[in-house]
Amino acid sequence: MPRRSTKRYHHGDLRKALVEGALRLLETRSPAELSLRSVARLAGVSPNAPYRHFESKDALLAAVAEEGFRRLATVTAAAKGPPRKRLAQMGAAYVRFATENPRLYGLMFGPVLSGWERYEGLVAAGDASFAVVVEAVAAATNTDPKRASRDAILAWSAVHGYAMLAIDGHLGSCPAKELPPPEELVRIIDTR
Amino acid sequence: MPRRSTKRYHHGDLRKALVEGALRLLETRSPAELSLRSVARLAGVSPNAPYRHFESKDALLAAVAEEGFRRLATVTAAAKGPPRKRLAQMGAAYVRFATENPRLYGLMFGPVLSGWERYEGLVAAGDASFAVVVEAVAAATNTDPKRASRDAILAWSAVHGYAMLAIDGHLGSCPAKELPPPEELVRIIDTR
DNA sequence: ACATCAATGTGTACACTGTCCACACACCGT
DNA sequence: ACGGTGTGTGGACAGTGTACACATTGATGT
């Protein structure tokens, strides 16, 4: 059994430690302020150690964003109830995730991670989280798959935009009472 | 009259040159890749010259984003026609602006500019561009101002989210034919 | 049990960044 | 003519991402 108290040369599971450390740092620092070296320091390891697990800083950020998408999918998939209500609750859960993890969400979607298409796992996790929305929309609207896919994009746009505006404080000028509740966002697919 | 050919010690209007240079660089580089020094180089000036006009790199970026909001307001305000149609065209113009200037748009809304609230002119320009949306929504829905403001937030969310997803390529997996046209986004305020 | 090796971590180094400081130049009103 | 104030330069510093050479380790085959 590995000892924890004495400093060992090998870390054990540095990869996971780095991702978790970056997630912790994202609770307070913005992704732009997050340096690879600070993540390494937090893990108690030299500045170059991360390069044994990630080919670049972007690759680390991609892994972090991937974890973010997994968590997002978990949160949204947890919405229950009859299809229509479930969809509304899913939207609310989505917005809640974004506003509770603003910097992580910004990393997942923002321009910080410019070449995200290169990271296969990230793409897969993103697609999976979108699939949750598509499925819920399809169940709520009861139309053909093609139409459901288009409606899902609309719903996703509304929820994503609302979340982004809320995160960046662009909704801050309105008193909270006058903000439309996130549940209303699904009205975008209401018209038949 | 100032000569242009010989290199002068004083630039003439460096502030404007820096903002325009940064806008040009944003056509090819992402905001995260844009360095203050490269902007200075493009203007043919020493690395520190910008500090006579902007107190920090963020201040320069804020000025660039401000110009972006002014252009966005111009583009959206140019939408004409009967209120309902005008709103739809405004949404389309908004999305077009975002997709044609993806990196500028990302700077305006993304997490790159973390403390945007500190830059007064930027806030004003952002509010002005939002006011265009509110006014158009109010004209199209014909309800009380409070309701119109809420609806404007919904519409803005939808359009903003759609633009963001399009910019970041998250809509790329769908064939373009199956994408909902941006005009449909205003359906979010369709239900009465 | 032991040598060996690939995996994993360290140290040094480099170019580049944002920003601070002291200095240089050039246009302005007096 | 001149001095001062706004504007640009040069050098410096800490911090960054990353490349390269080296060190340490745990697992593996004999």
Side-chain angles (χ1 to χ4, degrees), chain A residues 159-189:
Chain A
V159 173
H160 175 58
Y162 188 91
M164 280 294 212
L165 293 178
I167 284 175
D168 291 336
H170 295 287
L171 265 37
S173 51
C174 301
K177 284 292 182 179
E178 300 182 14
L179 283 181
E183 285 82 358
E184 287 196 31
L185 291 166
V186 298
R187 282 212 323 237
I188 199 170
I189 58 164

Short mmCIF file of all heavy atoms in Angstrom, two decimals, chain A residues 159-189:
data_model
loop_
_atom_site.label_atom_id
_atom_site.label_comp_id
_atom_site.label_asym_id
_atom_site.label_seq_id
_atom_site.Cartn_x
_atom_site.Cartn_y
_atom_site.Cartn_z
N VAL A 159 -31.09 27.83 -24.10
CA VAL A 159 -30.57 27.55 -22.77
C VAL A 159 -29.10 27.95 -22.66
O VAL A 159 -28.68 28.59 -21.69
CB VAL A 159 -30.74 26.04 -22.45
CG1 VAL A 159 -30.06 25.70 -21.15
CG2 VAL A 159 -32.20 25.69 -22.39
N HIS A 160 -28.35 27.62 -23.68
CA HIS A 160 -26.93 27.97 -23.69
C HIS A 160 -26.74 29.49 -23.66
O HIS A 160 -25.92 30.01 -22.90
CB HIS A 160 -26.28 27.38 -24.94
CG HIS A 160 -24.84 27.76 -25.13
ND1 HIS A 160 -23.87 27.48 -24.20
CD2 HIS A 160 -24.21 28.40 -26.15
CE1 HIS A 160 -22.70 27.93 -24.64
NE2 HIS A 160 -22.89 28.50 -25.82
N GLY A 161 -27.49 30.20 -24.47
CA GLY A 161 -27.38 31.65 -24.50
C GLY A 161 -27.76 32.25 -23.17
O GLY A 161 -27.06 33.14 -22.66
N TYR A 162 -28.84 31.76 -22.60
CA TYR A 162 -29.26 32.28 -21.30
C TYR A 162 -28.18 32.05 -20.26
O TYR A 162 -27.82 32.93 -19.49
CB TYR A 162 -30.55 31.57 -20.88
CG TYR A 162 -31.20 32.14 -19.64
CD1 TYR A 162 -32.16 33.14 -19.73
CD2 TYR A 162 -30.89 31.65 -18.38
CE1 TYR A 162 -32.78 33.66 -18.60
CE2 TYR A 162 -31.49 32.16 -17.23
CZ TYR A 162 -32.44 33.15 -17.35
OH TYR A 162 -33.04 33.66 -16.24
N ALA A 163 -27.61 30.85 -20.28
CA ALA A 163 -26.56 30.53 -19.32
C ALA A 163 -25.35 31.43 -19.51
O ALA A 163 -24.79 31.97 -18.55
CB ALA A 163 -26.15 29.07 -19.46
N MET A 164 -24.97 31.62 -20.76
CA MET A 164 -23.80 32.46 -21.05
C MET A 164 -24.02 33.89 -20.57
O MET A 164 -23.15 34.49 -19.95
CB MET A 164 -23.53 32.46 -22.56
CG MET A 164 -22.78 31.23 -23.02
SD MET A 164 -21.10 31.16 -22.33
CE MET A 164 -20.25 30.33 -23.67
N LEU A 165 -25.19 34.43 -20.90
CA LEU A 165 -25.47 35.80 -20.49
C LEU A 165 -25.47 35.91 -18.97
O LEU A 165 -24.95 36.87 -18.40
CB LEU A 165 -26.83 36.25 -21.05
CG LEU A 165 -26.87 36.39 -22.58
CD1 LEU A 165 -28.27 36.78 -23.03
CD2 LEU A 165 -25.86 37.42 -23.06
N ALA A 166 -26.06 34.92 -18.32
CA ALA A 166 -26.10 34.95 -16.86
C ALA A 166 -24.69 34.89 -16.28
O ALA A 166 -24.34 35.65 -15.37
CB ALA A 166 -26.94 33.79 -16.34
N ILE A 167 -23.87 34.00 -16.82
CA ILE A 167 -22.52 33.85 -16.30
C ILE A 167 -21.72 35.13 -16.43
O ILE A 167 -21.05 35.57 -15.50
CB ILE A 167 -21.79 32.71 -17.05
CG1 ILE A 167 -22.29 31.36 -16.56
CG2 ILE A 167 -20.29 32.81 -16.87
CD1 ILE A 167 -21.70 30.21 -17.34
N ASP A 168 -21.78 35.72 -17.59
CA ASP A 168 -20.96 36.89 -17.83
C ASP A 168 -21.54 38.16 -17.22
O ASP A 168 -21.02 39.24 -17.42
CB ASP A 168 -20.76 37.09 -19.35
CG ASP A 168 -19.88 35.99 -19.92
OD1 ASP A 168 -19.11 35.41 -19.16
OD2 ASP A 168 -19.97 35.74 -21.14
N GLY A 169 -22.64 38.02 -16.52
CA GLY A 169 -23.19 39.16 -15.81
C GLY A 169 -23.99 40.11 -16.67
O GLY A 169 -24.33 41.21 -16.23
N HIS A 170 -24.30 39.71 -17.90
CA HIS A 170 -25.04 40.62 -18.76
C HIS A 170 -26.51 40.71 -18.37
O HIS A 170 -27.23 41.56 -18.86
CB HIS A 170 -24.93 40.18 -20.22
CG HIS A 170 -23.54 40.26 -20.75
ND1 HIS A 170 -22.92 41.44 -21.03
CD2 HIS A 170 -22.61 39.31 -21.00
CE1 HIS A 170 -21.70 41.23 -21.47
NE2 HIS A 170 -21.48 39.94 -21.45
N LEU A 171 -26.94 39.81 -17.52
CA LEU A 171 -28.31 39.87 -17.03
C LEU A 171 -28.35 40.56 -15.67
O LEU A 171 -29.43 40.73 -15.09
CB LEU A 171 -28.87 38.44 -16.89
CG LEU A 171 -29.68 37.91 -18.07
CD1 LEU A 171 -29.11 38.37 -19.39
CD2 LEU A 171 -29.70 36.37 -18.03
N GLY A 172 -27.19 40.95 -15.21
CA GLY A 172 -27.11 41.50 -13.86
C GLY A 172 -27.83 42.81 -13.68
O GLY A 172 -28.25 43.14 -12.58
N SER A 173 -28.03 43.56 -14.76
CA SER A 173 -28.65 44.87 -14.63
C SER A 173 -30.13 44.74 -14.29
O SER A 173 -30.71 45.64 -13.69
CB SER A 173 -28.46 45.67 -15.91
OG SER A 173 -28.86 44.90 -17.02
N CYS A 174 -30.75 43.63 -14.67
CA CYS A 174 -32.14 43.43 -14.33
C CYS A 174 -32.25 42.92 -12.90
O CYS A 174 -31.48 42.07 -12.48
CB CYS A 174 -32.79 42.40 -15.26
SG CYS A 174 -32.71 42.84 -16.99
N PRO A 175 -33.22 43.42 -12.17
CA PRO A 175 -33.47 42.80 -10.86
C PRO A 175 -33.94 41.36 -11.06
O PRO A 175 -34.67 41.06 -12.01
CB PRO A 175 -34.59 43.68 -10.27
CG PRO A 175 -35.16 44.43 -11.43
CD PRO A 175 -34.08 44.54 -12.46
N ALA A 176 -33.51 40.49 -10.17
CA ALA A 176 -33.74 39.06 -10.37
C ALA A 176 -35.22 38.75 -10.57
O ALA A 176 -35.58 37.82 -11.29
CB ALA A 176 -33.19 38.29 -9.18
N LYS A 177 -36.08 39.56 -9.94
CA LYS A 177 -37.51 39.28 -10.03
C LYS A 177 -38.02 39.37 -11.47
O LYS A 177 -38.99 38.71 -11.84
CB LYS A 177 -38.28 40.30 -9.17
CG LYS A 177 -38.21 40.01 -7.68
CD LYS A 177 -38.97 38.73 -7.33
CE LYS A 177 -38.94 38.49 -5.83
NZ LYS A 177 -39.68 37.29 -5.45
N GLU A 178 -37.35 40.20 -12.26
CA GLU A 178 -37.86 40.41 -13.60
C GLU A 178 -37.22 39.50 -14.64
O GLU A 178 -37.54 39.56 -15.81
CB GLU A 178 -37.65 41.88 -14.01
CG GLU A 178 -38.38 42.83 -13.07
CD GLU A 178 -38.20 44.28 -13.48
OE1 GLU A 178 -37.77 44.51 -14.63
OE2 GLU A 178 -38.50 45.17 -12.67
N LEU A 179 -36.30 38.67 -14.17
CA LEU A 179 -35.68 37.73 -15.11
C LEU A 179 -36.68 36.64 -15.46
O LEU A 179 -37.41 36.16 -14.59
CB LEU A 179 -34.45 37.08 -14.48
CG LEU A 179 -33.18 37.93 -14.43
CD1 LEU A 179 -32.05 37.11 -13.81
CD2 LEU A 179 -32.81 38.39 -15.82
N PRO A 180 -36.74 36.26 -16.70
CA PRO A 180 -37.58 35.11 -17.04
C PRO A 180 -36.97 33.86 -16.42
O PRO A 180 -35.77 33.65 -16.52
CB PRO A 180 -37.51 35.07 -18.56
CG PRO A 180 -36.28 35.80 -18.92
CD PRO A 180 -36.05 36.82 -17.85
N PRO A 181 -37.77 33.04 -15.77
CA PRO A 181 -37.22 31.80 -15.21
C PRO A 181 -36.77 30.89 -16.35
O PRO A 181 -37.40 30.88 -17.41
CB PRO A 181 -38.40 31.20 -14.44
CG PRO A 181 -39.60 31.82 -15.05
CD PRO A 181 -39.19 33.18 -15.52
N PRO A 182 -35.71 30.14 -16.13
CA PRO A 182 -35.15 29.32 -17.20
C PRO A 182 -36.16 28.36 -17.81
O PRO A 182 -36.04 27.98 -18.97
CB PRO A 182 -34.03 28.55 -16.51
CG PRO A 182 -33.74 29.26 -15.25
CD PRO A 182 -34.93 30.07 -14.89
N GLU A 183 -37.19 28.03 -17.03
CA GLU A 183 -38.18 27.08 -17.56
C GLU A 183 -38.86 27.62 -18.82
O GLU A 183 -39.28 26.87 -19.69
CB GLU A 183 -39.25 26.76 -16.50
CG GLU A 183 -38.77 25.82 -15.40
CD GLU A 183 -37.99 26.55 -14.32
OE1 GLU A 183 -37.80 27.78 -14.45
OE2 GLU A 183 -37.57 25.89 -13.36
N GLU A 184 -38.95 28.93 -18.90
CA GLU A 184 -39.64 29.52 -20.05
C GLU A 184 -38.87 29.36 -21.34
O GLU A 184 -39.41 29.56 -22.42
CB GLU A 184 -39.90 31.01 -19.79
CG GLU A 184 -40.99 31.26 -18.77
CD GLU A 184 -41.47 32.71 -18.84
OE1 GLU A 184 -41.43 33.28 -19.94
OE2 GLU A 184 -41.86 33.24 -17.79
N LEU A 185 -37.61 29.01 -21.21
CA LEU A 185 -36.78 28.93 -22.41
C LEU A 185 -37.29 27.88 -23.38
O LEU A 185 -37.11 28.00 -24.59
CB LEU A 185 -35.33 28.60 -22.01
CG LEU A 185 -34.62 29.73 -21.27
CD1 LEU A 185 -33.35 29.20 -20.62
CD2 LEU A 185 -34.29 30.86 -22.22
N VAL A 186 -37.94 26.85 -22.86
CA VAL A 186 -38.38 25.78 -23.74
C VAL A 186 -39.57 26.21 -24.59
O VAL A 186 -39.98 25.48 -25.49
CB VAL A 186 -38.75 24.50 -22.96
CG1 VAL A 186 -37.53 23.98 -22.23
CG2 VAL A 186 -39.89 24.78 -21.99
N ARG A 187 -40.09 27.41 -24.31
CA ARG A 187 -41.15 27.90 -25.17
C ARG A 187 -40.72 27.97 -26.62
O ARG A 187 -41.54 28.02 -27.53
CB ARG A 187 -41.58 29.30 -24.71
CG ARG A 187 -42.47 29.31 -23.50
CD ARG A 187 -43.45 30.48 -23.56
NE ARG A 187 -42.85 31.67 -24.11
CZ ARG A 187 -42.80 32.84 -23.48
NH1 ARG A 187 -43.29 32.94 -22.26
NH2 ARG A 187 -42.26 33.89 -24.06
N ILE A 188 -39.41 27.98 -26.81
CA ILE A 188 -38.92 28.13 -28.18
C ILE A 188 -39.38 26.98 -29.06
O ILE A 188 -39.45 27.09 -30.28
CB ILE A 188 -37.38 28.24 -28.19
CG1 ILE A 188 -36.90 28.85 -29.51
CG2 ILE A 188 -36.73 26.89 -27.97
CD1 ILE A 188 -35.46 29.22 -29.53
N ILE A 189 -39.71 25.86 -28.45
CA ILE A 189 -40.18 24.75 -29.28
C ILE A 189 -41.65 24.49 -29.03
O ILE A 189 -42.17 23.42 -29.30
CB ILE A 189 -39.39 23.46 -29.00
CG1 ILE A 189 -39.50 23.09 -27.53
CG2 ILE A 189 -37.96 23.61 -29.42
CD1 ILE A 189 -39.09 21.69 -27.24
#
